[in-house]
Amino acid sequence: MGLTKQYLRYTGTALFGVVASQKGNIAYVTLRGDKGRYVAVPACEHVFIWDTRKGEKVLILQGLKQEVTALCPSPDGLHLAVGYEDGSIRVFSLLSGEGTVTFNGHKAAVTALKYDELGGCLASGSKDTDVIVWDVINESGLYRLKGHKDAVTQVLFLKEKNILVSSAKDTLVKWWDLNTQHCFKTLVGHRTEVWGLALVAEGKLLLTGSADSELRAWSINHFQEGPDPNEPQYKRSKGPSESLEEFSEADKAEDQEDTQEEHILSCTKAGSIMREGRDRVVTLATDRTGRILACHGADSVLEIFCVLSEGEIRKKMEKKMKKARKKAKQRSNEEEKEEEEVDGSSECSLQEKIVRLVNIKASAKIKSFDLILSPRGELKAAVMLQNNIVESYSLNSAAQPSQVARTAKITIGGHRSDVRTLAFSSDNIAILSASAESVKIWNRSTLQCIRTMACEYALCSLFVPGDRQVIVGTKAGNLQLYDLASGTLLETLEAHDGALWSISLSSDQRGFVTGGADKCVKFWEFELVKDEHTVQKRLSVKQTRILQLDEDVLCVRYSPNQKLLAVALLDCTVKIFYTDTLKFFLSLYGHKLPVLCMDISYDGALIATGSADRNVKIWGLDFGDCHRSLFAHDDSVMYLQFVPKSHLFFTAGKDRKIKQWDADKFEHIQTLEGHHQEVWCLALSPNGDYVTSSSHDKSLRLWERTKEPLILEEEREM
């Protein structure tokens, strides 16, 4: 047997660029004895804990592979339960940051998590329609409650009794008696999915939110037990004179059902509260005391209500009665009629029990929120937004009218929209990422964002030789030149009439070439121009030549010796031209859909092209012959780059995978899995030790080359 070729394994080392992922919910957690300061948010497969005061990440609860879909802190504040996409639940200790307990019982994503009052039991609802109650102390499952016909949206424990309430997308709200583990009541008053549940007024009022703008309220009455708790329930409900023998077995069972249901509690519609939002309720929740209720739809407004206590309602009613009596005295002639009206108005309406406090307008669509009410009456609200931001607000609920102040906004750690282009600096230390609204520069070793600069919709980018400036190509066809030291935009040049899809630096580092949707390839050179504001000269670029083509240009690449220029066109071909004369040299055709990305190896011998037809083709650059066509991904190949000084290359696909290939042996070496959505682009560091990738899940990931050898024969055997 000959020597096997060894490769070095790349492994994922870091996840950055995410402030908060969209799937789970935000939750206040107690850390270092501080209650309203730290928030836990899902970040792909991890949970990040942010300090809202400083805007810093203080703790990462490491996940495995699956995305986080639900969070719930324990009542004692020492643990955090985390539900995942695959149905598993892990309980983390907030002191050590370690996952102490794992529960596996659901077949699909966990959608709801709730602890009971003491924190000994944890209830979980899932997309697989089951509700499971877990014993956290014994680390075991207690029972599975089956009955819902669609994904569970919320679960709640009732404080006094051993009862669980669950809502689901099947329009039902079910009441479960946990002593007998069966459903003793089903509320069927909803026409559409029930998206949220909340218990207020010491558990006497249940509020439900569905697809319309009313929050329905249901009043709950617990029945008092008779004198002898051991006596069967159906027996107690009948008069003592009736003998049980007269009933048939069927009657007896039926009777037991009815009376048992009545004996536990009754639940009647108590009215409804109108929201201002017109669409469905996304989240409906109270703070831990149940005094403040809040909800939001698919927009950016959080509506906050205050639930009045018995004492406050009594005072309110007394005031109302006084007013009514005054009126009665003024109209003494109609005294009798008025008396009757006074008696009628002494009943308190739902609108008087639950008072609208204030609306909080966030800076973007809200995905989830959490509330915390301090003993001094200050309400804090943490809001997780759709565009990768966490905001926190505070308001004094006692003051009239309530003043809302935004106390924090965590934005630096990520982009608002998907990152479409990445680049490494020549010293392997700085990473550039650019999206539809900003360019960010990251330190690769600390993963801190060191510069943020506003830009247009970015599509391609590069570091200018010397790493002091960067150039970004935009969707509007402009080139934007930034100075990194000052973090300012030096100039914007109109380069193309359509989108500027691709940019490639020349190997002599004196200029670069751009390709755009206006069917042009333009050649640019760096130059120093005198700035009118300062004495020193500053960097600029000037256009030198232009190559007009018949189709939109999707990608351009210089060969390393700068003799050839490869241009990928919308007609699915790659045309190769001589750089000096712009004469046509080769046409590489064979892809069935346009070539979206390509790269030329360091020695100029090979060109690899990746296409929307999911294939990667490897061609020789001397004759334009196709060496091999590889079926690379299950969806479009979005980006392709050779590892410096080798014939190995990486591809990124819309199938969420990054793969490494050998262009000499045409072998697939390894797959880097981790992204939860389409991967848009890659960048390899100039020394080949690092790969960074960006995805539709808003995350940036860093992969590092290890010293561990990877032998293909052994991999295949596994």
Side-chain angles (χ1 to χ4, degrees), residues 33-53:
D34 238 341
K35 273 208 173 125
R37 179 171 176 179
Y38 300 99
V39 293
V41 293
C44 294
E45 67 268 34
H46 306 311
V47 175
F48 288 169
I49 294 178
W50 291 94
D51 178 344
T52 54
R53 219 170 283 169

Side-chain angles (χ1 to χ4, degrees), residues 119-159:
C121 284
L122 174 70
S124 64
S126 161
K127 274 189 182 167
D128 65 8
T129 74
D130 290 354
V131 176
I132 301 181
V133 182
W134 308 90
D135 184 337
V136 181
I137 295 144
N138 268 345
E139 303 184 9
S140 63
L142 291 175
Y143 24 79
R144 183 186 299 266
L145 306 172
K146 286 175 169 290
H148 282 295
K149 300 276 186 293
D150 205 340
V152 178
T153 53
Q154 184 64 285
V155 285
L156 293 173
F157 283 97
L158 253 69
K159 277 181 185 162

Side-chain angles (χ1 to χ4, degrees), residues 169-185:
K169 283 163 80 170
D170 59 4
T171 76
L172 303 178
V173 175
K174 284 186 175 287
W175 299 76
W176 309 87
D177 180 357
L178 297 185
N179 296 324
T180 58
Q181 295 117 53
H182 86 291
C183 171
F184 66 87
K185 196 178 209 41

Side-chain angles (χ1 to χ4, degrees), residues 413-520:
H415 288 272
R416 306 287 75 77
S417 51
D418 292 4
V419 170
R420 296 308 292 265
T421 173
L422 289 165
F424 256 102
S425 63
S426 60
D427 58 5
N428 308 296
I429 288 175
I431 299 172
L432 173 151
S433 65
S435 66
E437 83 297 316
S438 63
V439 180
K440 285 182 184 280
I441 308 291
W442 308 82
N443 180 327
R444 190 214 73 232
S445 51
T446 63
L447 300 175
Q448 294 298 316
C449 175
I450 48 184
R451 282 281 180 280
T452 301
M453 301 162 290
C455 71
E456 296 170 17
Y457 197 121
L459 294 175
C460 55
S461 61
L462 55 80
F463 275 90
V464 174
D467 295 337
R468 299 210 179 153
Q469 291 90 8
V470 295
I471 291 177
V472 172
T474 72
K475 200 172 183 174
N478 298 331
L479 281 172
Q480 295 190 298
L481 180 63
Y482 293 89
D483 178 55
L484 292 187
S486 60
T488 54
L489 175 65
L490 293 176
E491 67 176 314
T492 300
L493 293 151
E494 288 181 15
H496 291 269
D497 292 337
L500 198 157
W501 287 115
S502 183
I503 189 167
S504 175
L505 190 66
S506 63
S507 50
D508 63 7
Q509 306 205 326
R510 290 191 182 163
F512 58 92
V513 60
T514 60
D518 58 355
K519 308 181 183 176
C520 288

Side-chain angles (χ1 to χ4, degrees), residues 59-181:
L59 187 61
I60 299 177
L61 307 179
Q62 297 279 347
L64 300 168
K65 275 189 178 170
Q66 301 291 335
E67 262 182 299
V68 173
T69 54
L71 300 177
C72 182
S74 64
D76 60 9
L78 298 176
H79 295 92
L80 181 72
V82 182
Y84 294 92
E85 183 74 30
D86 62 346
S88 63
I89 299 163
R90 290 174 75 194
V91 180
F92 287 89
S93 158
L94 289 172
L95 301 172
S96 65
E98 299 295 317
T100 49
V101 188
T102 304
F103 294 129
N104 291 309
H106 289 295
K107 298 185 192 68
V110 177
T111 50
L113 282 175
K114 268 288 183 301
Y115 277 97
D116 67 353
E117 203 182 357
L118 298 171
C121 284
L122 174 70
S124 64
S126 161
K127 274 189 182 167
D128 65 8
T129 74
D130 290 354
V131 176
I132 301 181
V133 182
W134 308 90
D135 184 337
V136 181
I137 295 144
N138 268 345
E139 303 184 9
S140 63
L142 291 175
Y143 24 79
R144 183 186 299 266
L145 306 172
K146 286 175 169 290
H148 282 295
K149 300 276 186 293
D150 205 340
V152 178
T153 53
Q154 184 64 285
V155 285
L156 293 173
F157 283 97
L158 253 69
K159 277 181 185 162
E160 297 83 47
K161 304 281 175 106
N162 200 10
I163 289 173
L164 184 76
V165 195
S166 64
S167 64
K169 283 163 80 170
D170 59 4
T171 76
L172 303 178
V173 175
K174 284 186 175 287
W175 299 76
W176 309 87
D177 180 357
L178 297 185
N179 296 324
T180 58
Q181 295 117 53

Side-chain angles (χ1 to χ4, degrees), residues 159-160 199-205 222 289-290 307-310:
K159 277 181 185 162
E160 297 83 47
L199 278 164
V200 293
E202 284 96 44
K204 295 205 176 66
L205 209 58
H222 294 277
T289 62
V307 184
L308 300 183
S309 63
E310 296 283 326

Side-chain angles (χ1 to χ4, degrees), residues 662-674:
D662 184 337
D664 291 331
K665 296 195 164 178
F666 317 121
E667 300 218 75
H668 168 222
I669 302 165
Q670 67 168 338
T671 302
L672 305 179
E673 292 189 83

